[in-house]
């Protein structure tokens, strides 16, 4: 829509394309950012990221607490984001973390 030389895409095509990207939730593990991300990203394309060592231990601890809070995410979704999706993305590393 910005550049007439580019193929014009519908809103649905754009959102379908966004669902094919991989996302991490570094420093954005709370209900609001994860709620927004879940509207864009497929749950099997979200990875947990703490942003450590670029942020301090207190912030990482808070992010982990937000992400693991009871009732925040279904246990299966939490397991996918915390570990399973990364093993899918990087299968060559799966044996290393078995």
């Amino acid at each position: 829509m910005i550049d007439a030389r580019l193929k014009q895409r519908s809103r649905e095509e754009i959102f379908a394309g966004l669902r094919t990207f991989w996302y991490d939730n570094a420093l954005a593990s709370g209900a609001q950012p994860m709620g927004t991300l879940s509207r864009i990203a497929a749950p099997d394309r979200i990875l947990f990221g703490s942003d450590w060592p670029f942020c301090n231990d207190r912030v990482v601890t808070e992010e982990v607490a937000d992400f693991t809070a009871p009732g925040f995410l279904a246990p299966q979704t939490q397991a996918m984001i915390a570990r399973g999706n990364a093993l899918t993305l990087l299968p060559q590393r799966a044996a290393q973390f078995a």
Side-chain angles (χ1 to χ4, degrees):
M1 291 179 270
I2 295 171
D3 188 333
R5 296 172 297 175
L6 299 175
K7 179 182 176 188
Q8 301 302 301
R9 301 195 186 277
S10 69
R11 180 179 300 259
E12 292 77 22
E13 289 174 309
I14 292 168
F15 278 101
L18 289 172
R19 291 183 71 76
T20 67
F21 287 98
W22 287 90
Y23 299 86
D24 76 59
N25 67 348
L27 297 180
S29 297
Q32 292 83 5
M34 287 294 289
T36 300
L37 181 57
S38 69
R39 296 171 125 186
I40 296 170
D44 61 344
R45 294 291 186 135
I46 302 172
L47 307 168
F48 181 81
S50 67
D51 230 11
W52 185 88
F54 303 106
C55 64
N56 64 49
D57 291 345
R58 180 189 56 80
V59 173
V60 172
T61 299
E62 290 175 11
E63 290 299 315
V64 170
D66 285 346
F67 180 72
T68 60
F72 174 58
L73 293 171
Q76 181 180 1
T77 302
Q78 187 182 59
M80 285 172 47
I81 293 170
R83 186 168 195 269
N85 294 344
L87 295 176
T88 299
L89 178 62
L90 303 167
Q92 68 276 21
R93 300 285 186 202
Q96 183 180 355
F97 298 105

